[in-house]
Structure formats: C-alpha cells, structure tokens
Amino acid sequence: MAARFIASEVGQGLRRNLSMTLAMIITTAVALAMLGGGLLVVMTASASQDKYDYLNEFRVYVDRSISREDPDCTAACGEIRARLEATDGVASLEYKNPQETYEEFTELFASTDPVLVESTSPDALGSRFTLTLDDPTRAEAVAEDLATVEGIEIVQGQGELVERVFSVLHGIRNAAFAVAVIQLVATVLLIANMTQIAAFTRRTAVGIMRLVGASRWYTELPFVLEAVIAAVAGALLAVGGLFAAKSVFLDRVLAEAYRANLVERITAQDILLIAPVLVVAGAVVSAITAWLTLRLTVRH
C-alpha cells in the first residue's frame, strides 16, 4: 500500500512539473555526457600509454645485414653497442635481437593492426637498442651524435610526437571535465529548484499526512525519487549521446590517429564500461541534492 502510494505521488509529481523535469533531464544528460567524454579520454590515454613507454627514449635500429650476421651482438653489433654506451647523455641501454624485436612488434600491434602484422615478415626487422636519456632536454644533441654512428639504420625518437598527441588528449579531457563541472552546478541548482517547487505545490497534502502521523522520511521520499528518476533518465540519455558522438564525431576525427596507431580506439565496450558510473553518479547526486534541499529549506 505504501509503495503504491509513493509510486502514485512520484508519477503525479513528474507529470505536474513536466517542463522542469524535462529541463533537468537534459541538463543532467549534458553534464554526464561531458563527464563520460572526459573519462573516455582518460581511459584512451591510459591504454595508449603502453605504446609510448619510450617517451624519453630513443630506439636505435641496427642495419639488418649486421643484425642477421651478429644477432648476439658480439662482433660488429658489439662495436655499435660500445659506441652507444659511450654517447654523452645516455643513461641506460637495452638490446633486443631481431627475433625479440619481431615478437614485441607482433604483441604490440596484433590487436590494433593485424593486417600490418600479417604483412610484416620476421626478417623485416633488425636488432634494436633502446636508449634512455638522463636528460630529456638533450634529445636533439643525442640524436645528432647517433646519426654519425656507422651501422645504424634508423634513429627513432618519438618524444615530441607523443607529447603533441597526449597534449591534445589532455586538452580534450580538461575541457570536458570543465564543462561537466559547470553543467553539474546547473543541474544541482535545477534539482534544488524543482524539489522546492514540487514541495510547495503539495504542501497542503504533505501537511495533512504529517498531522495523521506520517514520518518525515515517508513524505520526503517521493520528492527524492522524482529527482533520482529524472537524473537516471538523463544519464541514459547521456550514454546514448556518447554512442552517437562516437560514431558520428570521434571515429571520424580520430580516424588518422587510429590508422597510425597513435592512440587506442574508443570502443562501444568502453562506453558500456562507464555507463554504470554515469547512472550511479547521476542518481547519487540528485538524491543527495533533493534530500538536502528538503531538510534545509522546506519545513513540514
């Protein structure tokens, strides 16, 4: 009986303040969509970071003929190792033979670019040295020194490119979170106003219920549930918006970055993973806001 009464009150309240309810749903949806967008960027940046563990490193690829003749790096390759170790600014050095280089390549790109892996033969990659710098600001000078070493085929320093990629990602994340905070403030104010208006329009009925012995929690619960239902509807709308933004906007904007394997692809599973977070966040914030509004501003 009590549940039926509360459900009836909630339904009437949502219909009675329909325009306010719709406004709250839309505002909540925008706030949570921005929050979700920021979380997706954080997840993408975190997943992509594994590709760029060499942010302050150089990858030096040995000539393939030397790699084939000296995979253990004891002869000609060993001379290159000694020259690299003596280079000013190099803090540490790691060596991988051609087989290890190819295995690392297949592991890194198997899930994101299987066609590239299939088209690359095991003998296509030579030995590789990974050099860690003790001072990243000297990267340009170190690169010039490495260019003079005989037997080196490629010197690959990715720091500047990676910094640009992650700078863009961090900028998008910060912008999304900033808009989310602004929208969250607007959502909280809207929930508070909606709760006050709903309580005022039903003040007579609530007063009678209190006179006949109804507890304050019993009279407040319908108002809290109205706010929660509107917020959950907004959260679901936000999740739908993220799916739409992914297919219409993100997949096109990041298409080149995906093809170049600069960042991990944002998938539908990523959105589904954060969907419960958005729903719970919307429900909790709306419930707390409505409850505090009733406790602080409504006397009955």
Side-chain angles (χ1 to χ4, degrees):
M1 187 69 177
R4 186 181 304 170
F5 170 77
I6 291 174
S8 175
E9 285 293 301
V10 170
Q12 291 179 23
L14 291 174
R15 289 193 300 271
R16 187 179 294 117
N17 301 303
L18 184 59
S19 60
M20 185 75 76
T21 300
L22 292 175
M24 197 183 98
I25 291 174
I26 294 172
T27 306
T28 303
V30 174
L32 293 177
M34 291 297 101
L35 175 61
L39 292 176
L40 285 175
V41 172
V42 171
M43 292 169 61
T44 299
S46 177
S48 302
Q49 192 68 49
D50 293 340
K51 299 178 185 297
Y52 305 119
D53 55 351
Y54 52 96
L55 181 59
N56 292 324
E57 297 174 347
F58 278 97
R59 293 193 169 190
V60 177
Y61 291 87
V62 180
D63 183 272
R64 277 172 285 184
S65 61
I66 296 177
S67 300
R68 287 192 296 269
E69 296 170 2
D70 187 18
D72 296 328
C73 202
T74 56
C77 175
E79 295 177 5
I80 295 174
R81 177 199 287 270
R83 176 66 176 83
L84 295 178
E85 290 175 338
T87 301
D88 186 31
V90 175
S92 63
L93 179 149
E94 179 188 8
Y95 173 76
K96 288 185 181 294
N97 61 37
Q99 181 61 32
E100 291 172 331
T101 301
Y102 180 74
E103 289 173 357
E104 182 186 60
F105 167 78
T106 55
E107 180 180 354
L108 185 61
F109 293 99
S111 61
T112 57
D113 200 343
V115 176
L116 176 63
V117 173
E118 291 177 4
S119 61
T120 304
S121 61
D123 60 353
L125 300 175
S127 304
R128 192 194 73 219
F129 292 99
T130 301
L131 281 60
T132 303
L133 307 183
D134 54 14
D135 182 5
T137 61
R138 297 196 65 255
E140 185 175 347
V142 172
E144 292 177 357
D145 289 343
L146 297 179
T148 64
V149 179
E150 186 176 353
I152 290 180
E153 190 173 70
I154 300 173
V155 177
Q156 187 181 63
Q158 297 290 345
E160 182 180 350
L161 172 61
V162 174
E163 285 177 346
R164 286 204 303 267
V165 171
F166 279 88
S167 177
V168 172
L169 289 177
H170 292 159
I172 295 173
R173 177 203 62 194
N174 294 338
F177 282 158
V179 173
V181 170
I182 295 172
Q183 288 295 125
L184 180 61
V185 172
T187 301
V188 167
L189 294 176
L190 195 57
I191 293 171
N193 287 335
M194 186 182 100
T195 303
Q196 289 186 66
I197 292 173
F200 179 78
T201 57
R202 284 180 273 174
R203 64 190 184 282
T204 302
V206 170
I208 293 173
M209 292 172 62
R210 293 285 288 155
L211 287 174
V212 298
S215 67
R216 186 164 185 177
W217 269 109
Y218 188 78
T219 57
E220 289 175 348
L221 187 57
F223 301 106
V224 174
L225 289 178
E226 288 173 23
V228 169
I229 290 173
V232 170
L236 296 177
L237 186 61
V239 172
L242 289 175
F243 276 110
K246 173 189 175 300
S247 59
V248 174
F249 177 70
L250 288 178
D251 286 348
R252 295 181 181 179
V253 170
L254 297 176
E256 291 296 328
Y258 290 156
R259 279 195 289 270
N261 205 43
L262 293 176
V263 296
E264 284 292 322
R265 184 178 296 273
I266 296 175
T267 65
Q269 287 76 14
D270 293 330
I271 298 176
L272 291 176
L273 187 63
I274 67 170
V277 176
L278 300 182
V279 173
V280 172
V284 170
V285 170
S286 62
I288 292 175
T289 302
W291 179 77
L292 287 177
T293 300
L294 292 169
R295 291 284 168 164
L296 297 176
T297 64
V298 179
R299 297 287 181 262
H300 52 260

